[in-house]
């Protein structure tokens, strides 16, 4: 997508010629250039924040996509719970390694703290209902198998919340708290 700044620069260059660097500080064209630059910065910053917020959900779906069986068939609740448990334990080796590397009396590293916090939050989510694609549905399985990794195409999948006890509830996309 072309930036607003490049469009404004092109328009001002066409209007002023090669004198674009000699604009008066408070002229209309200078203000348009400043506003367009500020808008592009704001859009880029908001996009980065949105990507960071969506990353945890994308990682989860990537993980489950990698563990799909070769022959696609609907999974039962116990198999889905096994996949969720495997997902929750994915960082245990790194946590143990960081714990072993830490010297006595030293504070934990930032990475260790982040991994521990992430594990705790995901554990609580699993107790109340873990958000996963509906692996019990044939159509969702085929769509998940063909998924290319982009956020917007997740809207085509159906989702569930499965808790540690085995209770299954329908959920929606995008995830919002415990639905």
């Amino acid at each position: 997508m072309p930036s607003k700044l490049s469009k404004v620069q092109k328009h001002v260059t066409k209007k002023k010629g090669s004198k674009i660097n000699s604009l008066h500080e408070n002229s209309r064209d200078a203000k348009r250039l400043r506003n367009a630059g500020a808008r592009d910065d704001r859009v880029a910053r908001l996009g980065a924040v949105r990507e960071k917020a969506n990353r945890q959900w994308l990682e989860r779906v990537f993980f489950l996509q990698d563990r799909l069986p070769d022959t696609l068939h609907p999974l039962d609740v116990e198999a889905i719970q096994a996949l969720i448990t495997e997902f929750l334990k994915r960082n245990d080796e790194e946590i143990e390694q960081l714990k072993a590397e830490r010297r006595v009396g030293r504070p934990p590293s930032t990475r260790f703290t982040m991994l521990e916090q992430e594990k705790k939050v995901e554990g609580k989510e699993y107790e109340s209902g873990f958000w996963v694609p509906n692996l019990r549905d044939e159509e969702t399985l085929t769509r998940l198998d063909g998924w290319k990794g982009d956020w917007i195409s997740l809207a085509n999948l159906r989702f569930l919340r499965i808790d540690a006890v085995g209770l299954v509830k329908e959920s929606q996309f995008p995830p919002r708290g415990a639905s």
Side-chain angles (χ1 to χ4, degrees):
M1 181 169 110
S3 72
K4 188 76 170 171
L5 178 62
S6 64
K7 288 182 178 182
V8 172
Q9 281 177 330
K10 180 180 174 184
H11 181 71
V12 171
T13 304
K14 187 185 274 185
K15 184 172 147 184
K16 296 287 186 187
S18 63
K19 298 184 282 182
I20 191 169
N21 293 331
S22 62
L23 291 175
H24 186 269
E25 182 180 355
N26 293 322
S27 68
R28 288 183 197 153
D29 291 331
K31 286 181 182 178
R32 285 179 62 200
L33 285 168
R34 277 195 305 273
N35 288 341
R39 180 188 183 279
D40 283 354
D41 291 342
R42 187 176 62 248
V43 167
R45 190 173 54 251
L46 291 175
V49 167
R50 194 177 318 107
E51 276 185 32
K52 186 177 179 185
N54 295 343
R55 189 176 308 133
Q56 66 172 334
W57 309 112
L58 289 174
E59 283 178 9
R60 186 177 296 183
V61 177
F62 269 127
F63 182 88
L64 294 170
Q65 183 188 34
D66 286 343
R67 271 107 181 134
L68 284 179
D70 293 333
T71 58
L72 294 177
H73 56 82
L75 302 176
D76 58 346
V77 176
E78 291 80 22
I80 297 172
Q81 284 181 317
L83 287 173
I84 292 171
T85 305
E86 185 182 346
F87 178 77
L88 294 175
K89 293 181 179 179
R90 72 191 185 286
N91 292 326
D92 285 354
E93 290 179 13
E94 187 177 357
I95 289 172
E96 292 300 321
Q97 178 188 3
L98 290 171
K99 197 181 290 187
E101 289 175 357
R102 193 173 85 209
R103 296 192 319 250
V104 178
R106 300 290 299 168
S109 66
T110 307
R111 176 81 178 146
F112 177 81
T113 308
M114 284 177 45
L115 289 174
E116 280 286 318
Q117 183 180 13
E118 184 178 302
K119 184 177 179 178
K120 192 166 94 175
V121 167
E122 288 172 349
K124 284 183 180 178
E125 182 187 353
Y126 185 42
E127 291 172 9
S128 65
F130 201 75
W131 185 81
V132 292
N134 188 350
L135 302 177
R136 301 184 315 167
D137 179 35
E138 190 83 36
E139 184 180 338
T140 302
L141 280 172
T142 55
R143 287 181 180 173
L144 180 60
D145 192 39
W147 181 59
K148 301 287 189 231
D150 52 339
W151 173 257
I152 197 69
S153 65
L154 284 179
N156 297 329
L157 304 177
R158 294 177 54 209
F159 291 91
L160 299 173
R161 287 204 178 264
I162 300 178
D163 64 7
V165 179
L167 184 68
V168 178
K169 293 184 279 187
E170 289 287 324
S171 186
Q172 78 275 352
F173 176 80
R176 290 190 239 12
S179 60

